[in-house]
Amino acid sequence: MGKANKTRKFAAMKRMISLKDTRLNKGVKKKVNKPIMKKGADNGKAKVHRVPQASSALFFKYNTQLGPPYHVLVDTNFINFAIKNKLDIMESMMDCLYAKCTPYITDCVMAELEKLGPKYRIALKIAKDPRFVRMPCLHKGTYADDCLVQRVTEHKCYIVATCDRDLKRRIRKVPGVPIMYLTNHKFTIERMPDAFGAPK
């Protein structure tokens, strides 16, 4: 019988123990890093973090304050897009939510519509409809986005109707507030579990 051919091992290395291996540091005591406290401004006291109180309207992310009749905060461009798509705001809202809806319009949104000039006079005429509830603004300036976000963070009983991407992005950061917008020539709603008309 002949000799068995041994295959050569290419790039074979001896196995080395890692420097982080626990077996190397058995006898050595570990140094415990103590947290460094800056003295001076706090006078040696630990820093206290203030966490904003969670809204009592929310059960985790589910908003318990939402229910028919729905209160819908309307934005400037939502009215303009509804006119472009030839949709009646009141009827389309009811078709979307299968319930009575009350559209609310703030002073800031009215001011924005008035600033847009005669081109958007139909939108202004719709906003002055007696079925739209007018809400007074007490803050300075007439920037509607800030106004709507502030109202929604304070009171979580509103649905925000807008087609503005930036405003939608800002409202998504506020938990429990649904957003109504326009797609495929009809109103749809996002982040609302109870809405029967919402797309699944």
Side-chain angles (χ1 to χ4, degrees):
M1 282 189 73
K3 243 194 221 178
N5 291 337
K6 279 188 180 179
T7 54
R8 280 177 63 197
K9 289 181 182 176
F10 295 99
M13 283 180 65
K14 287 184 180 177
R15 292 185 74 194
M16 291 178 69
I17 198 163
S18 171
L19 294 172
K20 291 178 184 175
D21 202 309
T22 52
R23 292 172 285 182
L24 291 174
N25 304 331
K26 266 188 181 174
V28 183
K29 285 185 181 178
K30 286 185 178 177
K31 285 183 181 178
V32 180
N33 294 334
K34 290 181 181 177
I36 301 163
M37 302 279 282
K38 287 184 180 177
K39 291 183 181 179
D42 351 355
N43 297 325
K45 291 179 184 175
K47 212 175 190 181
V48 180
H49 291 285
R50 299 267 180 231
V51 180
Q53 187 181 358
S55 173
S56 59
L58 295 176
F59 179 75
F60 295 103
K61 281 187 177 179
Y62 177 76
N63 193 345
T64 54
Q65 280 188 354
L66 287 172
Y70 293 106
H71 308 290
V72 185
L73 274 174
V74 183
D75 189 27
T76 318
N77 55 18
F78 188 79
I79 299 169
N80 294 334
F81 274 91
I83 293 163
K84 265 186 191 172
N85 289 295
K86 295 176 183 173
L87 293 169
D88 181 43
I89 292 175
M90 294 294 286
E91 275 182 34
S92 301
M93 277 182 185
M94 287 170 124
D95 291 344
C96 177
L97 293 167
Y98 293 141
K100 190 186 175 193
C101 298
T102 314
Y104 285 82
I105 200 149
T106 61
D107 288 345
C108 296
V109 174
M110 286 297 277
E112 269 192 9
L113 282 167
E114 284 164 6
K115 278 181 191 172
L116 289 171
K119 192 180 175 186
Y120 295 93
R121 66 183 178 278
I122 299 165
L124 190 63
K125 205 171 186 180
I126 288 169
K128 286 179 179 172
D129 188 329
R131 294 178 296 176
F132 280 65
V133 180
R134 187 78 178 265
M135 295 181 83
C137 292
L138 302 169
H139 58 84
K140 290 179 181 178
T142 56
Y143 187 54
D145 290 14
D146 289 344
C147 178
L148 293 173
V149 171
Q150 185 194 342
R151 272 185 198 277
V152 156
T153 44
E154 284 173 12
H155 312 288
K156 296 214 169 11
C157 61
Y158 297 112
I159 296 167
V160 180
T162 184
C163 295
D164 186 9
R165 279 185 187 172
D166 297 328
L167 182 58
K168 273 200 233 173
R169 199 175 293 126
R170 281 176 71 181
I171 289 166
R172 281 186 193 115
K173 289 174 186 171
V174 182
V177 180
I179 304 164
M180 189 182 278
Y181 57 96
L182 244 148
T183 47
N184 301 330
H185 305 288
K186 62 181 179 182
F187 293 177
T188 51
I189 197 154
E190 111 185 10
R191 291 171 56 181
M192 189 155 174
D194 298 341
F196 297 110
K200 299 290 181 254

